[in-house]
Amino acid sequence: MKKIAFFILILTNSLVAQEHFAGLTNSKRVGIISTTINPAELVNMSNKFEVNVVGTSLNISNNKIGFSDLFSNNNLETLLFAGSEAVNLRADAELYLPSVAMKYKKWAFAFTPKAHGKLSIVDVDSHLGDAITNAALNSVLGSSTTINNNYNQRINGTTWGEIGLTAGYTLVDNATNKINVGTTFKLLFPGSYANLGLDKFQGTINVNTVSGQATLTNTLANLNIAYSGGLTNSFTNFNDYTKSVFGGLNGFSGDIGVNYQWKDAPETDPKKNMNKYKLNFGLAVRNIGSMTFNDANNNSSNYILKIQGSQSLNLNQFQNVDNLQQIETILINSGFLTKTEGTKNFKVKLPTTFNAYADVKLIPTLFVSGYIQQRVNNDSSNDQITAQNIVTVTPRFNTGFFEVFAPFTNSSVAGFTSGIGFRVGGFYLGSGSIVTALINDSKQADFYTGFRWAFL
């Protein structure tokens, strides 16, 4: 268990990175990346064909550790569980494999294979996390802390692959208005999964920092332990996230969206008028669906954790644990678990979100866009992959071939961040947090880059 915090911090350094492609998705240079927020945007492609050679976006955000802490002498595990505020962290990687899109008259189509990896810590009690990972180093000598939470604490890791099939159609297209609709149907390939959920936890942590022992007494909680694929053996090893991304086909999901453009004045050259607008507005609902994990190592069990009277659980046992099977074995052997439900195969919901955005032309080369992402489902549910609530405002300078943008974002985990990115032709590079990371100790680090080729 002690390795959890360490793995999270290694991710920050090795990935260098929940909004993916911040600032780029609202670009006038519409293509496959634009379908990330709305499949209806695909009809606005300026060219007939686009090949997305590669595209990757990496993001890690938390509410405790700042960017400067990574280069300090502070114990990062101690910082993560310091104070009384519950710990929240999201690490999210998205990789576009070679993809292709085409436009024909009022129609547009795309084929987009992608790989996903996510690690989430959701509302983990700082006192409990400190006792398990650090032998309660943040606690006062000989202290006793009583916890009474009415929510579900989670540690969750998931990998999956998908193949998206997008279709967009123009309903209205006249001199001043254009209305598009679009949908993406996704084939899901669940790879690996691990979930530890501790719901409605009540208990007392007793700490003796002289002996270095932390114990748990007078405890009652609902416990969910689920695992599948590579994350069965370890959920703190980065290699276990990368080696089992694509499993077998076992799930479906979809996106649906609508897009409106208030067109700009027509030009002499009809090609120059492609995707010229005063206002571009869109609404979409994304990731409606679920996938089923049915690996040979599958397990999903619900327990009641109960410690009464003079009984106690030694929390030091968990400090070197790095997989859920070990946690489950320790708790079962302790005699404090009562199994209430178990299943081999289990279903996991995708992070369904509602997206809304608007892009406004101020002058011919200067635009400003606003973007809102609101999660639909509850992150605390054990069968739910997490998503963040996000608000982003992005001013952009665009000459056509060259574009630079500066997203300003407020997210539900890391708070306010700002970054910068640019596009030269089909190459793009950016970060939604690099500016605040350098000047204001941001609690988010993210990075994205890729190359796409459009023609005809």
Side-chain angles (χ1 to χ4, degrees), residues 246-266:
F246 272 86
L249 174 61
N250 211 346
F252 305 95
S253 71
D255 306 342
I256 187 169
V258 60
N259 168 251
Y260 167 77
Q261 285 189 357
W262 178 20
K263 287 187 175 183
D264 209 347

Side-chain angles (χ1 to χ4, degrees), residues 1 65 83 89 92 202 208-209 211 246 303 314 323 344 348 351 375 403 414 454:
M1 202 74 164
I65 297 174
L89 184 144
D92 193 348
Q202 302 174 28
N208 186 329
T209 53
S211 64
F246 272 86
Y303 299 95
N314 182 4
N323 71 65
K344 181 174 176 58
V348 176
R375 65 172 176 263
E403 184 175 13

Side-chain angles (χ1 to χ4, degrees), residues 1 132 196-198 201 216 219 223-225 303-307 313-315 317-318 321 324-338:
M1 202 74 164
I132 292 174
L196 176 65
L198 198 60
F201 179 88
L216 190 61
T219 300
L223 178 66
N224 172 262
I225 295 178
Y303 299 95
I304 295 177
L305 173 63
K306 194 173 187 179
I307 305 172
L313 175 65
N314 182 4
L315 295 177
Q317 302 175 81
F318 300 101
V321 168
L324 296 184
Q325 285 182 321
Q326 291 175 338
I327 295 174
E328 192 172 31
T329 299
I330 290 172
L331 291 174
I332 289 175
N333 291 340
S334 71
F336 299 139
L337 284 187
T338 301

Side-chain angles (χ1 to χ4, degrees), residues 22-36:
L24 182 69
T25 51
N26 289 123
S27 171
K28 282 178 79 274
R29 168 47 164 94
V30 174
I32 290 171
I33 296 297
S34 304
T35 65
T36 298

Side-chain angles (χ1 to χ4, degrees), residues 171-350:
L171 295 175
V172 176
D173 190 5
N174 55 41
T176 55
N177 301 291
K178 184 179 181 182
I179 300 175
N180 306 320
V181 293
T183 185
T184 298
F185 178 71
K186 303 175 186 177
L187 308 174
L188 304 180
F189 301 83
S192 55
Y193 184 80
N195 185 78
L196 176 65
L198 198 60
D199 189 28
K200 294 180 175 61
F201 179 88
Q202 302 174 28
T204 300
I205 301 171
N206 304 290
V207 179
N208 186 329
T209 53
V210 174
S211 64
Q213 185 173 353
T215 59
L216 190 61
T217 59
N218 300 320
T219 300
L220 182 64
N222 299 316
L223 178 66
N224 172 262
I225 295 178
Y227 44 81
S228 177
L231 296 183
T232 299
N233 300 319
S234 172
F235 57 93
T236 62
N237 188 338
F238 179 70
N239 291 333
D240 290 321
Y241 284 80
T242 59
K243 71 183 181 182
S244 57
V245 175
F246 272 86
L249 174 61
N250 211 346
F252 305 95
S253 71
D255 306 342
I256 187 169
V258 60
N259 168 251
Y260 167 77
Q261 285 189 357
W262 178 20
K263 287 187 175 183
D264 209 347
E267 298 186 14
T268 305
D269 185 345
K271 188 172 183 179
K272 288 185 178 181
N273 195 42
M274 296 293 286
N275 205 32
K276 296 278 188 177
Y277 57 79
K278 296 178 181 178
L279 169 68
N280 187 52
F281 173 79
L283 299 172
V285 180
R286 300 189 61 249
N287 293 321
I288 308 167
S290 62
M291 53 189 170
T292 300
F293 288 85
N294 61 1
D295 187 81
N297 294 324
N298 262 30
N299 182 62
S300 178
S301 299
N302 293 323
Y303 299 95
I304 295 177
L305 173 63
K306 194 173 187 179
I307 305 172
Q308 294 180 308
S310 61
Q311 296 175 329
S312 65
L313 175 65
N314 182 4
L315 295 177
N316 296 52
Q317 302 175 81
F318 300 101
Q319 288 187 35
N320 295 315
V321 168
D322 66 351
N323 71 65
L324 296 184
Q325 285 182 321
Q326 291 175 338
I327 295 174
E328 192 172 31
T329 299
I330 290 172
L331 291 174
I332 289 175
N333 291 340
S334 71
F336 299 139
L337 284 187
T338 301
K339 189 172 183 178
T340 59
E341 184 182 9
T343 181
K344 181 174 176 58
N345 300 332
F346 52 89
K347 184 178 292 186
V348 176
K349 298 176 185 176
L350 262 65

